[in-house]
Amino acid sequence: MLGMLDFRRTAASGFAPMVRKVAAILACVPMALSAAPPMQPKAMETLPQATNLARDAATMREKRMPMLVLYSQHGCHFCATARSYLAPMAAAEIRGRHVLFRQIDIDSDAGLVDFSGTQSSHRAVAKAQKASFTPTVRLFDADGRAIGEDIVGLRLEDFYGLYVDNAIAQARRHMGASD
């Protein structure tokens, strides 16, 4: 057997160092991933918090525009999904959609002036408006009256944007706005 190569020995001796190097690299991956900074929500996935509905109502009256309110709460992943649809619409608002977007957190005691000009909180206004399920989208006219039906939950997520667009169009017609 002189002159014949022992393939088992050559193959094993050639692959062993490579396998050890790959194993060492793969062992470092979990450490590298754990050192990465946590992912932050995108800035565009937020809506303006409601602070003064009476002041907003004056703007709405002047410009004949409705207000879309997202009722949300901390830790609601469905609310985050709803925001991911609404935030780009709110950004488009800057370019002329003519809808005021606001968020009211039903579990927050942050200060809020209601439509009548009374100092209150997000929690109290949500309770007074009987908004207890999240996410809920409600459109308002300049007098603080709800326009159309609420969009409660996500319904069919694939059509959520369409539901919101239709509700906005209905509210704009109600306000006498021209497109």
Side-chain angles (χ1 to χ4, degrees):
M1 295 199 78
L2 226 61
M4 295 214 37
L5 293 174
D6 184 358
F7 287 106
R8 287 176 291 165
R9 181 179 167 179
T10 351
S13 64
F15 285 118
M18 184 175 70
V19 169
R20 281 194 296 271
K21 287 178 184 174
V22 169
I25 291 170
L26 290 176
C28 294
V29 169
M31 290 186 300
L33 290 177
S34 67
M39 292 186 62
Q40 298 295 321
K42 296 176 189 170
M44 290 305 299
E45 291 183 2
T46 61
L47 291 174
Q49 292 290 314
T51 56
N52 189 328
L53 298 178
R55 184 177 55 228
D56 288 339
T59 302
M60 294 162 58
R61 190 169 284 107
E62 176 189 333
K63 296 184 179 181
R64 292 182 166 210
M65 63 177 5
M67 176 189 293
L68 181 147
V69 173
L70 171 66
Y71 294 96
S72 183
Q73 66 181 321
H74 179 74
C76 169
H77 71 277
F78 293 114
C79 299
T81 302
R83 260 189 308 280
S84 75
Y85 283 93
L86 298 173
M89 292 178 176
E93 157 57 24
I94 296 167
R95 296 186 293 273
R97 291 254 352 230
H98 306 298
V99 178
L100 214 53
F101 285 81
R102 296 293 182 260
Q103 179 172 313
I104 294 177
D105 296 318
I106 69 169
D107 59 346
S108 171
D109 291 318
L112 172 61
V113 175
D114 67 15
F115 280 105
S116 69
T118 305
Q119 182 64 43
S120 190
S121 70
H122 279 234
R123 183 187 316 268
V125 168
K127 187 175 181 179
Q129 294 174 348
K130 295 179 175 46
S132 55
F133 296 105
T134 60
T136 295
V137 168
R138 184 176 296 164
L139 284 119
F140 290 96
D141 66 14
D143 295 319
R145 292 184 302 246
I147 304 171
E149 289 186 35
D150 292 351
I151 301 172
V152 180
L154 289 177
R155 297 184 186 174
L156 292 174
E157 189 176 334
D158 291 340
F159 297 105
Y160 192 74
L162 180 62
Y163 296 142
V164 173
D165 279 338
N166 289 343
I168 290 171
Q170 178 187 2
R172 288 187 45 75
R173 283 191 301 274
H174 174 84
M175 298 285 295
S178 60
D179 286 333

